[in-house]
């Protein structure tokens, strides 16, 4: 049988069913580069946090919100960004998001005080929310369904994971050689290059006319997620039973409940609840949320452990995490080769269990830990496992979506991963603070004593191991063996 050329919905041109066609590779390269940039910014500031604290006088809660302002805005507006890509065009939202992200990077890089920096990080997250769903949709649309698309999604996953993994090294290099401001300013030349590539290589595909964006839904879900994350973050300084903390947590849950009620009644919902009747979409997104809840915490705690406990410089901390960066790429690229043999579900379960083993190993860290035993070995297992799990989960979710919902499902996948990371970091930070020994800190040059930090870090890693084990069980029981658009609960 002769295979006929297919029309590329992302580019509007004809393509053969091969990832090696020039147009397909150009789209995949451009989209993956943008995804690298937005994921890099989740982790690149970790090694710069001590310098930011010194230069801008940020408190502990302020430092956490340098991370969470980006992650919460990223996740909260990503559903809106995904639907906007379906309605108004993937290329248009790609350019809008990348332009906003790049401009906010300039503001953050020259911020004179902490509030400016946190605000710029939130605007960066907003730009990323419009950019990131378009990247996955462009990749899926540029390559025909089957092994070629799985490889393309594996490339997108690997490059995105590499962005998160490379953040420690890139941030450490910039902080040591220049200043913490360059962890944001470096986005400007890279963003301009990717914008140029997008203008040259991307073509606008068909858009959904006659529909409108659900702005009330976007406001409700963003406010609910941000309020919930802030309530969790407050528990580092106050008890869970503190009235203000309880009110904040309940307020966040109430806003999310109202969001669900509004989505069930509006004619053009931001998040059609019918999507969750698809077993592959719902199960994959819950699993992605759980995996994401551990990955942000891993980079945060590993970076702070290397600097605050082992005494590494920012550059040394970044270099120490390079093997983990490589292992997450290896896991992401290995997954497409294993999926035809073992099945997507089994590969995802295996990846989660390998990651859980790495987190369990990491929980044995000590004040006088070694590079081999407390950074290299567990870091490779943690990130190889998470890389191995993410590609099949993203493939199961996106392969099950109707064509008109492709951008929305891509946004949902990214929302699950990013919001899981933001909430997971807040929860794990709270757990680490609660597990630390009681009594005042013994400061060394203004930093907490290592003996105070290690018990909390160890507890956070043990909890993360339990979360990944639970995710593996959930995937084994809930994920379908194959993804189809008719797969229903």
């Amino acid at each position: 049988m002769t295979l006929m050329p297919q029309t590329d919905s992302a580019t509007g041109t004809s393509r053969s069913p091969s990832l090696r066609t020039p147009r397909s590779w150009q789209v995949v390269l451009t989209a993956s580069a943008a995804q690298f940039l937005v994921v890099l910014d989740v982790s690149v500031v970790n090694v710069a946090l001590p310098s930011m604290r010194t230069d801008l006088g940020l408190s502990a809660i302020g430092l956490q919100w340098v991370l969470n302002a980006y992650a919460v805005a990223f996740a909260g507006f990503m559903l809106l960004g995904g639907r906007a890509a379906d309605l108004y065009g993937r290329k248009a939202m790609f350019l809008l998001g990348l332009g906003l992200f790049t401009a906010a990077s300039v503001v953050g890089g020259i911020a004179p005080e902490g509030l400016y920096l946190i605000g710029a990080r939130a605007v960066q997250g907003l730009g990323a929310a419009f950019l990131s769903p378009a990247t996955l949709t462009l990749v899926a649309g540029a390559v025909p369904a089957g092994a070629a698309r799985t490889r393309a999604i594996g490339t997108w996953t690997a490059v995105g994971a590499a962005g998160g993994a490379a953040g420690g090294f890139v941030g450490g290099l910039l902080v040591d050689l220049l200043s913490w401001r360059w962890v944001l300013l470096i986005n400007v030349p890279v963003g301009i290059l990717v914008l140029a590539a997008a203008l040259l290589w991307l073509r606008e595909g068909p858009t959904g006319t006659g529909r409108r964006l659900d702005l009330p839904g976007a406001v409700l879900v963003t406010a609910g997620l941000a309020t919930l994350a802030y309530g969790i973050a407050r528990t580092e300084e106050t008890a869970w039973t503190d009235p203000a903390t309880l009110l904040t947590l309940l307020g966040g849950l109430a806003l999310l409940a109202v969001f669900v009620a509004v989505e069930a009644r509006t004619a053009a919902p931001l998040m059609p609840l019918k999507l969750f009747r698809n077993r592959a979409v719902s199960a994959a997104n819950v699993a992605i949320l759980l995996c994401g809840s551990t990955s942000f915490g891993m980079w945060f705690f590993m970076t702070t452990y290397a600097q605050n406990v082992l005494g590494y410089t920012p550059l040394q901390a970044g270099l120490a995490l390079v093997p983990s960066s490589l292992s997450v790429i290896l896991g992401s690229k290995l997954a497409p080769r294993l999926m035809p043999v073992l099945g997507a579900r089994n590969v995802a379960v295996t990846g989660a269990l390998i990651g859980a083993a790495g987190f369990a190993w990491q929980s044995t860290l000590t004040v006088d830990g070694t590079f081999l035993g407390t950074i290299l070995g567990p870091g490779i297992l943690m990130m190889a496992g998470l890389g191995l799990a993410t590609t099949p989960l993203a493939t199961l979710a996106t392969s099950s979506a109707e064509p008109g919902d492709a951008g929305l499902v891509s946004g949902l996948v990214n929302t699950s991963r990013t919001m899981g990371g933001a909430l997971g970091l807040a929860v794990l930070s709270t757990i680490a603070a609660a597990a630390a020994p009681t009594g005042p800190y013994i400061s060394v040059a203004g930093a907490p004593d290592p003996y105070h930090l290690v018990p909390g870090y160890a507890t956070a890693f043990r909890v993360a191991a339990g979360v990944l084990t639970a995710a593996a069980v959930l995937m084994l029981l809930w994920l379908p063996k194959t993804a189809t658009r008719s797969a229903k609960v």
Side-chain angles (χ1 to χ4, degrees), residues 11-343:
T11 64
T13 62
S14 296
R15 56 172 167 79
S16 62
S18 170
L19 184 59
R20 292 186 174 86
T21 62
R23 178 64 66 189
S24 296
W25 269 113
Q26 289 169 350
V27 173
V28 172
L29 176 63
T30 304
S32 296
Q35 182 67 4
F36 177 90
L37 195 61
V38 299
V39 177
L40 176 75
D41 252 57
V42 175
S43 62
V44 72
V45 300
N46 281 338
V47 295
L49 291 177
S51 300
M52 291 175 178
R53 179 186 61 198
T54 302
D55 193 19
L56 301 179
L58 288 165
S59 64
I61 197 72
L63 284 178
Q64 186 171 325
W65 275 96
V66 171
L67 301 175
N68 275 345
Y70 180 84
V72 170
F74 189 6
F77 281 99
M78 211 178 308
L79 295 179
L80 180 66
R83 179 53 83 195
D86 288 332
L87 299 184
Y88 303 127
R90 299 159 190 175
K91 180 178 179 179
M93 292 302 104
F94 186 100
L95 295 173
L96 172 65
L98 185 54
L100 191 60
F101 178 90
T102 305
S105 297
V106 175
V107 176
I110 62 175
E113 59 183 60
L115 287 179
Y116 283 88
L117 175 60
I118 293 172
R121 292 283 289 167
V123 177
Q124 274 188 311
L126 176 62
F130 283 89
L131 173 62
S132 190
T135 65
L136 181 54
T137 311
L138 285 164
V139 168
V143 184
R149 180 178 293 175
T150 299
R151 290 195 299 272
I153 292 176
T155 298
W156 176 87
T157 302
V159 173
F169 170 70
V170 174
L173 190 65
L174 292 171
V175 171
D176 265 14
L177 297 181
L178 299 169
S179 79
W180 67 263
R181 296 183 182 278
W182 279 95
V183 302
L184 298 172
L185 294 175
I186 193 64
N187 294 328
V188 179
V190 178
I192 291 172
L193 286 176
V194 179
L195 275 170
L199 288 169
L200 288 173
W201 290 343
L202 300 184
R203 298 291 181 270
E204 193 59 88
T207 59
T209 57
R211 301 183 66 179
R212 62 180 179 83
L213 283 174
D214 176 22
L215 290 177
V219 171
L220 284 168
V221 71
T222 304
L225 292 172
T227 304
L228 188 61
Y230 178 70
I232 295 172
R234 277 183 56 89
T235 61
E236 282 202 59
E237 297 183 344
T238 63
W240 285 88
T241 55
D242 179 78
T245 301
L246 280 175
L247 184 62
T248 304
L249 293 170
L250 292 174
L253 293 174
L255 286 169
L256 294 176
V258 174
F259 166 72
V260 172
V262 167
E263 298 305 281
R265 290 168 175 78
T266 188
L270 177 69
M271 173 51 62
L273 300 182
K274 66 177 183 179
L275 282 179
F276 294 101
R277 293 198 295 268
N278 185 305
R279 181 177 173 186
V281 171
S282 56
N285 275 281
V286 171
I288 287 170
L289 185 144
L290 292 174
C291 291
S293 71
T294 65
S295 62
F296 281 28
M298 179 270 179
W299 293 117
F300 178 76
F301 287 115
M302 287 285 280
T303 304
T304 54
Y305 171 71
Q307 292 186 78
N308 294 338
V309 177
L310 299 184
Y312 288 15
T313 66
L315 179 57
Q316 288 172 332
L319 288 172
L321 296 178
V322 167
S324 301
S325 307
L326 297 177
S327 67
V328 73
I329 297 172
L330 177 63
S332 299
K333 295 299 291 180
L334 183 61
R337 298 180 180 275
L338 297 178
M339 286 165 59
V341 179
L342 302 177

